[in-house]
């Protein structure tokens, strides 16, 4: 797997679960080629992405533009999903 996996992380200010999600993504990026872009949930773009992906609250995670999760990010679930892509 050489093509980077596009991860969009929808975050909000002072969000503990958002910080946790960033740490999970940092760890997973050691094993998978991730390209992470962070988008503020309060921004126009963030609102559009959240509505399209049905993200109820931060953090929201999209993989290649498709909804993956929101709320506390499960490293195990993310790794399992990425392993199936390989």
């Amino acid at each position: 797997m050489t093509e980077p996996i596009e991860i969009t992380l929808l975050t909000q200010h002072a969000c503990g679960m958002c910080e946790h999600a960033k740490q999970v993504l940092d760890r997973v990026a050691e094993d998978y080629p991730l390209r992470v872009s962070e988008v503020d949930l309060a921004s126009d773009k963030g609102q559009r992405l959240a509505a399209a992906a049905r993200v109820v609250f931060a953090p929201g995670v999209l993989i290649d533009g498709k909804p993956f999760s929101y709320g506390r990010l499960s490293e195990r679930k993310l790794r399992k999903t990425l392993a199936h892509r390989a």
Side-chain angles (χ1 to χ4, degrees), residues 16-86:
M17 285 193 292
C18 297
E19 292 306 315
H20 172 264
K22 291 176 196 178
Q23 292 169 358
V24 168
L25 290 170
D26 285 345
R27 285 193 300 270
V28 172
E30 294 174 8
D31 299 318
Y32 294 93
L34 304 183
R35 184 179 302 141
V36 179
S37 58
E38 188 175 340
V39 178
D40 186 344
L41 198 52
S43 70
D44 288 342
K45 180 179 180 181
Q47 289 291 303
R48 283 193 309 275
L49 288 170
R54 295 189 175 147
V55 170
V56 178
F57 53 86
V61 177
L62 297 105
I63 299 177
D64 291 329
K66 296 182 176 93
F68 176 71
S69 72
Y70 62 86
R72 186 170 177 83
L73 178 58
S74 167
E75 184 170 344
R76 181 185 216 185
K77 179 181 171 188
L78 178 60
R79 285 182 180 278
K80 188 174 184 178
T81 298
L82 296 178
H84 288 299
R85 293 173 50 107

